[in-house]
Amino acid sequence: MSPQPINTQDTAACAAAYTSTLGWQIAPGHRHRPRSGCTCGEPGSCPGSGAHPLPGPLTPTPASGLIDELEALPGAALIAPTLPFDALVLPKWSGLFVVTWLDRNGKAMPCLLQGEDRAVLLVLPATGRYALPELEESRPSTVEVQSGPDQWVALPPSHGARWDPPPWHEQTHQPLPLLHGKDLLLPLTEALRVTSEPSGAQL
């Protein structure tokens, strides 16, 4: 019998999946309050309400105490340093184009959607730069690579974050192998070309 799907809206279930299944380190972050916004209290500089780290060094909580800490901070974001992966942050439709292109060619990769306009693609650590296409000077890259212990991503169920698809096989819960950044070069080049045209993305 296949295991039950991981509830990506459940903080404890996600925290367990990230730390136990994937081996990622997690730090609790700020919280989003429906009527008051982010607990950081800095709307002018907040990078994402309820979806960014607390002040100071990004220090993950040991897996053994993470659930207890999250229970004491209901609604806290789940923040992962970009150590077990590089994160490519790009426009949403470009990211979905890449995921669809890879799927049609028999490859799967985790995609994190943030808000209404951004996608985050996860690749093997220290390989994200190999995905960046060479663009004309008149076409600056819209892709940002986050890599190393000082960079981070906010994971579901952080406010505004959701998986499509998640970083595990939904039928078995086994980790989804990450691709090398160079595997994204061709589809990402095409995605940026297509989604920059007036007709928009053609998935």
Side-chain angles (χ1 to χ4, degrees):
M1 179 180 294
S2 299
Q4 292 295 315
I6 295 171
N7 182 359
T8 56
Q9 298 301 311
D10 183 278
T11 300
C14 283
Y18 298 146
T19 56
S20 300
T21 301
L22 303 177
W24 295 355
Q25 296 180 326
I26 300 296
H30 276 288
R31 294 175 289 120
H32 172 76
R33 300 167 296 183
R35 293 187 176 86
S36 306
C38 188
T39 52
C40 72
E42 301 289 342
S45 59
C46 178
S49 181
H52 66 98
L54 299 171
L58 182 56
T59 305
T61 299
S64 59
L66 180 59
I67 299 301
D68 289 341
E69 186 166 345
L70 290 171
E71 287 180 350
L73 299 168
L78 300 182
I79 307 298
T82 50
L83 284 169
F85 52 78
D86 275 10
L88 278 71
V89 184
L90 66 165
K92 176 182 176 181
W93 291 112
S94 296
L96 293 176
F97 183 103
V98 172
V99 170
T100 302
W101 191 97
L102 290 167
D103 183 66
R104 290 171 178 169
N105 287 273
K107 296 180 180 179
M109 71 173 311
C111 177
L112 173 63
L113 301 179
Q114 295 183 331
E116 298 300 322
D117 57 359
R118 292 196 305 172
V120 182
L121 306 179
L122 306 185
V123 297
L124 288 169
T127 71
R129 60 191 177 94
Y130 295 102
L132 298 181
E134 294 184 6
L135 301 175
E136 301 91 348
E137 291 184 4
S138 61
R139 290 180 58 209
S141 176
T142 55
V143 183
E144 175 188 354
V145 177
Q146 297 178 343
S147 179
D150 297 326
Q151 302 290 313
W152 55 270
V153 293
L155 304 175
S158 303
H159 182 68
R162 60 196 187 281
W163 290 114
D164 186 20
W168 51 75
H169 293 284
E170 296 190 79
Q171 294 79 14
T172 65
H173 296 183
Q174 292 300 306
L176 196 66
L178 298 181
L179 301 177
H180 192 285
K182 65 183 179 182
D183 294 325
L184 276 62
L185 179 57
L186 178 58
L188 184 52
T189 301
E190 182 67 6
L192 296 179
R193 181 190 70 79
V194 170
T195 56
S196 67
E197 295 176 350
S199 58
Q202 301 293 323
L203 297 180

